[in-house]
Amino acid sequence: MSTTLLGHSLPAGQAVGVAVISCGLAAVALADGIPGRTQLPALAAALGTGVLIASYTLVDGSGVCVCVCVCGYIAWLYFRHRQVRAVAAGLERRSSHTRTRI
């Protein structure tokens, strides 16, 4: 993903490693044949999880590369994470308060 989106180069050894791991995962996923209709929700969840992991790994990697000081990048991540958790907690409290009043 980083080679496509960010223009980073991938050395041959690493490309072979990615290909081997991808083939191994495909072999495990297709061990019982092509997934049927009943396995589609699980397949979608697995693909979604993979996309999210790749996305935050890409964001973290590019953030560390752009940042002058890695400690500053980590501090901003911590600060933003605390803000998101505070908003989520406030929304949850508001939601539970509304449910108890009804």
Side-chain angles (χ1 to χ4, degrees):
M1 238 173 129
S2 67
T3 58
T4 304
L5 297 176
L6 299 178
H8 292 173
S9 62
L10 188 63
Q14 292 177 3
V16 169
V18 169
V20 167
I21 290 173
S22 298
C23 288
L25 287 172
V28 169
L30 299 173
D32 292 333
I34 296 181
R37 211 173 181 86
T38 58
Q39 288 95 9
L40 288 180
L43 184 61
L47 289 174
T49 301
V51 167
L52 287 175
I53 290 171
S55 298
Y56 73 69
T57 301
L58 187 66
V59 168
D60 279 349
S62 62
V64 168
C65 288
V66 170
C67 192
V68 175
C69 175
V70 175
C71 293
Y73 177 71
I74 293 170
W76 271 109
L77 278 179
Y78 180 76
F79 176 70
R80 289 293 185 194
H81 180 71
R82 298 287 288 178
Q83 287 179 330
V84 169
R85 287 187 62 185
V87 169
L91 291 174
E92 184 178 342
R93 269 192 230 112
R94 181 178 178 192
S95 174
S96 65
H97 180 68
T98 304
R99 278 186 268 154
T100 56
R101 289 180 53 195
I102 295 177

